[in-house]
Amino acid sequence: MSNQLIKHSMIYSLFQLFMIFAGLISFPVLTKSLSTEEYGTLGLITVSLSMLASFGKLGIQHGIIRYREDYEKTTFISNIAYLALLGPLALCLTFMALSLLLYQLDFIPSNHIDTVLIVIFLAFGEQIRNFIVNYFISEQESPLVAKIRIISKVITMTFTLSTVVVILASAKGFIYGFLVAEIIVLSLTLFIAQKHKLFTGISLSKVSAKIYKPLLLFSIPLLGLEMVSMLHAFIDRYLIKYFMEARYLGYYSAYYNMATMLAALIIGGLTTAVVPAYLKTWNEQGREATEALLSRIFNGLLLIYPIIIISLWVVSKELFALLTTDEYIAYAYLLPLIAMGVLLQSAMPLFSAGLKIKKASMTMFYSVIFSAVLNLILNLIFIPRYGLTAAAITTTISYACIAASFAYFGSSTLTVRVNFAIFLRSCLYAGVFLLLSPYIQHDINVIQLGLKVGAGVVYFCLVFILFEKPLTLFLFNSLLKRNPDAKQAVKPL
């Protein structure tokens, strides 16, 4: 694991740390300002927005990272710029025209047409911003990426929360605030890109089928992959809405959102930085070095995965008692169950490394389709019987299916050396903490939460120092750069 990768991971992780704090501000504001029904509705709107935005990106964001090193900058940017603008713009106008037609035919109620049009525009803005950010990720400009995303989050959070609290406490109020924020954020992102000369030298004459044809052939299957992945991630929301009362969707959305924020904080920085890192290692150093890099990262995740799940189980009730209203607390057990699947999903860039390197996007597509169908069938069978618990568990099962298929089909290109002893040790450490946690008691909820978190930090720090010394020394030396040969100074995972 190179110092450069650790540097970029740390920057992305600091951004994720900011995002979690921002989320911890907005989360209680929304759960306490909106009814559970409105919060559930907002959840459906936001996931629909995410799916629409993903569709409009045409999968090109994946091609940007994969093909950037293969072409000269201005030639590559020229091809990307026209694809990134014309494709999303055409889709945006098409969806708006279709929505207005459905409104005229009374398929869209008059009190919802404004929300539909706003969501389409928001998706368009997100698509443009995503292309710019992914280009900077491909250039490993992690400070600039973090800057753009932090500015975007601050502006969006300011306008959405202000609208909900002061003007209109509803899902529609949130969307109105989001619209104002998106106009500002998109303008600032384009300004930053221009300031960094992103568009300098681009020309229509440089657009060539030799570039955009392989780019689209690689990207479009990944568009299907991403769309199916989004459907896979969110189908449970729609089925909960169909089979259960609206308030249950609010409960599930709250715990899913929290699990997503925590996963982004814990491994989001690493998984953002690792793709360009292992592609660069593959191109410059070959298979053996890439396998060694991914093996160390993967085994490190094996070490922390059980610890994270058990820790969330221990603190979930106190955490949601602090951040939400009382009606959410009865479903605190959902947090670790949902987190199991969300953490697996967040680590997919590692599982798919072999397939991405050999550009086997169709294999990934078929794997995700199979898992999505499995997820749909399991949800249809078990949600009516077991409710929210079934939705959480089936999501984890289907994500495990994706991870296993990615790893299996990519093993001909890369073979990650998995150390299951690390996983077993982690389960032991986590199990001991689970047994000790009932003895941490206090009458005041926030103090009890603080005691549990503090005890967990102290306990696991001691465990790592005493029993996982190679990993601890490696990270310490790498982060502080006290020993340039830290990679050889400790035994790799």
Side-chain angles (χ1 to χ4, degrees), residues 48-49 51-58 87-103 108 113 116-121 123-124 127 227:
S48 300
L49 168 60
M51 293 183 68
L52 186 59
S54 294
F55 181 73
K57 286 181 286 191
L58 301 174
L89 180 59
L91 286 171
C92 176
L93 295 176
T94 300
F95 281 127
M96 284 187 170
L98 179 60
S99 299
L100 291 172
L101 175 61
L102 292 174
Y103 166 67
I108 298 178
I113 184 62
V116 172
L117 294 175
I118 291 172
V119 166
I120 293 171
F121 174 78
F124 171 73
Q127 290 153 15
M227 290 304 300

Side-chain angles (χ1 to χ4, degrees), residues 137-382:
I137 290 175
S138 73
E139 293 285 331
Q140 300 193 48
E141 294 281 355
S142 51
L144 183 58
V145 172
K147 177 182 177 181
I148 292 173
R149 287 179 168 172
I150 288 173
I151 291 173
S152 301
K153 184 63 177 180
V154 169
I155 293 173
T156 301
M157 189 173 69
T158 299
F159 280 92
T160 53
L161 296 186
S162 298
T163 305
V164 168
V165 173
V166 178
I167 302 174
L168 184 60
S170 68
K172 183 169 286 191
F174 183 95
I175 293 300
Y176 285 151
F178 204 160
L179 173 63
V180 177
E182 181 59 45
I183 294 171
I184 298 172
V185 167
L186 180 59
S187 300
L188 284 175
T189 303
L190 291 171
F191 173 77
I192 291 172
Q194 181 62 34
K195 185 178 179 181
H196 286 79
K197 301 180 180 179
L198 179 63
F199 306 117
T200 300
I202 67 172
S203 170
L204 184 60
S205 62
K206 294 181 180 180
V207 176
S208 169
K210 293 181 179 179
I211 298 176
Y212 73 74
K213 184 177 179 180
L215 182 68
L216 287 174
L217 288 175
F218 175 78
S219 299
I220 288 178
L222 289 177
L223 166 64
L225 170 66
E226 186 168 356
M227 290 304 300
V228 175
S229 298
M230 297 286 285
L231 183 63
H232 176 276
F234 300 138
I235 190 64
D236 49 3
R237 315 284 184 93
Y238 295 99
L239 292 177
I240 290 169
K241 174 71 172 175
Y242 180 78
F243 286 117
M244 306 175 71
E245 297 177 22
R247 60 191 177 95
Y248 290 103
L249 177 60
Y251 302 145
Y252 188 82
S253 296
Y255 283 99
Y256 201 105
N257 291 342
M258 179 57 68
T260 302
M261 285 190 288
L262 293 175
L265 171 65
I266 296 165
I267 65 172
L270 174 64
T271 54
T272 301
V274 75
V275 177
Y278 67 61
L279 290 175
K280 186 177 180 68
T281 303
W282 175 267
N283 290 331
E284 296 180 357
Q285 302 177 45
R287 174 171 179 162
E288 186 175 343
T290 308
E291 288 179 339
L293 171 68
L294 291 173
S295 295
R296 285 193 291 269
I297 297 171
F298 188 81
N299 287 315
L301 292 180
L302 277 183
L303 179 62
I304 66 171
Y305 189 89
I307 292 172
I308 295 168
I309 300 303
I310 293 301
S311 298
L312 292 179
W313 186 278
V314 170
V315 304
S316 59
K317 189 173 182 178
E318 290 81 7
L319 179 62
F320 270 74
L322 178 66
L323 298 178
T324 63
T325 56
D326 291 342
E327 56 191 320
Y328 287 90
I329 300 173
Y331 299 91
Y333 67 90
L334 288 174
L335 181 60
L337 295 180
I338 294 173
M340 287 193 294
V342 171
L343 284 168
L344 274 176
Q345 191 271 339
S346 299
M348 286 303 168
L350 290 172
F351 293 107
S352 63
L355 294 175
K356 283 189 175 180
I357 286 172
K358 67 178 182 179
K359 305 173 186 176
S361 51
M362 287 305 297
T363 302
M364 289 188 278
F365 181 56
Y366 294 141
S367 298
V368 175
I369 283 182
F370 173 79
S371 180
V373 172
L374 174 65
N375 187 34
L376 176 60
I377 293 172
L378 292 175
N379 277 318
L380 286 171
I381 294 172
F382 293 109

